[in-house]
Amino acid sequence: MAIASFKPPTEIVTTAPTLWPQNPTLDNYRHVAETVPLARVMLNSVIVTGVGSIVKVVLAITTAYALVFIDFRFKNIVFLAVLVALMVPAEAALLPNYMTISSLGGRNTLWGIILPTLGTAFGTFLLRQHYKTLPKDLMEAAALDGAGHWKRLWQIVVPISAPTIATVALVTVVGEWNNFMWPLIITDSAENMTLPVGLNLLQSVEGQTGSYGYLMAGAVLVILPVLIVFAALQRFIVSGLTQGAVK
């Protein structure tokens, strides 16, 4: 895909294909920039992904902590609701979400894209299962030293859970960045589209075989930021896979 994005159409659709481009060109990327308001949709994706991911990770961290370390009524029922949310496909919520956001005036807005996806059953479930493996003696010692729940969460639980949190963050960022169906439904203006939806205009406008290079260039632009995020978080993920349980 990356190599083909630098090939002219005659080198992509040919009976004698080559691995490396014989006449490298940036025309595919230039065409993408001319067809799609690239800077705008890229900025929209950064905002939606950044805000949505931060809120979802923070909600997952705090909700999972409450489900493990705070005693309150109906805690098991709340956790059961989280499990049920994991089982319900996102498509089932499209219509009620659309009606709700439209009634609030959120069509063609970035907050209209962000708001319905802020719940994070997966992150809550994963972090809850991890928190349950943390040594109880550590938390009891912190409580005896006078540390409240807020201090225990951010100064003890979060630092020793960094690899798991990084995994949740990576999955969340990838999901937010690649989210296509909901932004497609709630926006119909190019100024408010995210990158995956904006690049879909390429497939709508270009219907010939000569457009493969443009589509490859667009796909590279979608995937590259995710690869950068993975490269930044991979040391935490590898640490989480190798360090074992906290003793």
Side-chain angles (χ1 to χ4, degrees):
M1 176 189 66
I3 293 173
S5 69
F6 293 101
K7 290 182 177 182
T10 54
E11 292 187 26
I12 298 176
V13 184
T14 177
T15 57
T18 58
L19 177 60
W20 302 107
Q22 303 302 306
N23 298 291
T25 178
L26 292 175
D27 287 345
N28 294 325
Y29 290 94
R30 191 176 298 110
H31 179 85
V32 171
E34 293 172 353
T35 306
V36 179
L38 200 55
R40 182 64 187 179
V41 296
M42 181 76 77
L43 178 61
N44 290 343
S45 278
V46 170
I47 294 173
V48 169
T49 302
V51 175
S53 298
I54 291 172
V55 173
K56 290 177 80 168
V57 172
V58 171
L59 286 177
I61 290 172
T62 52
T63 306
Y65 179 90
L67 289 173
V68 175
F69 298 111
I70 299 178
D71 292 325
F72 58 91
R73 294 182 63 185
F74 309 118
K75 182 163 70 172
N76 291 332
I77 295 178
V78 172
F79 180 61
L80 180 62
V82 173
L83 294 180
V84 171
L86 282 172
M87 303 173 192
V88 177
E91 290 77 10
L94 286 177
L95 180 58
N97 281 342
Y98 180 83
M99 295 176 65
T100 302
I101 295 300
S102 295
S103 66
L104 294 175
R107 288 188 68 250
N108 284 316
T109 63
L110 296 184
W111 70 262
I113 299 175
I114 296 171
L115 187 61
T117 62
L118 290 182
T120 170
F122 169 77
T124 300
F125 173 77
L126 188 63
L127 287 176
R128 175 189 180 273
Q129 299 307 107
H130 170 72
Y131 288 170
K132 290 178 71 69
T133 66
L134 299 180
K136 294 182 179 179
D137 294 344
L138 182 63
M139 304 303 294
E140 292 174 356
L144 290 175
D145 287 340
H149 285 299
W150 192 253
K151 192 172 184 178
R152 275 179 268 169
L153 170 61
W154 295 108
Q155 295 189 9
I156 298 176
V157 174
V158 169
I160 63 179
S161 303
T164 305
I165 294 173
T167 302
V168 172
L170 177 62
V171 173
T172 303
V173 168
V174 172
E176 289 289 315
W177 184 266
N178 290 334
N179 190 14
F180 176 77
M181 185 62 70
W182 174 247
L184 176 66
I185 291 175
I186 202 64
T187 60
D188 51 30
S189 169
E191 293 183 357
N192 298 289
M193 290 179 177
T194 55
L195 187 60
V197 179
L199 292 178
N200 186 57
L201 296 174
L202 290 174
Q203 192 165 359
S204 302
V205 174
E206 304 292 341
Q208 311 89 0
T209 56
S211 67
Y212 290 151
Y214 310 145
L215 299 177
M216 294 298 103
V220 169
L221 293 174
V222 173
I223 292 174
L224 188 59
V226 176
L227 293 178
I228 294 173
V229 171
F230 177 79
L233 296 180
Q234 75 168 1
R235 65 188 183 94
F236 294 103
I237 298 172
V238 172
S239 174
L241 296 174
T242 57
Q243 72 179 4
V246 177
K247 299 296 184 181

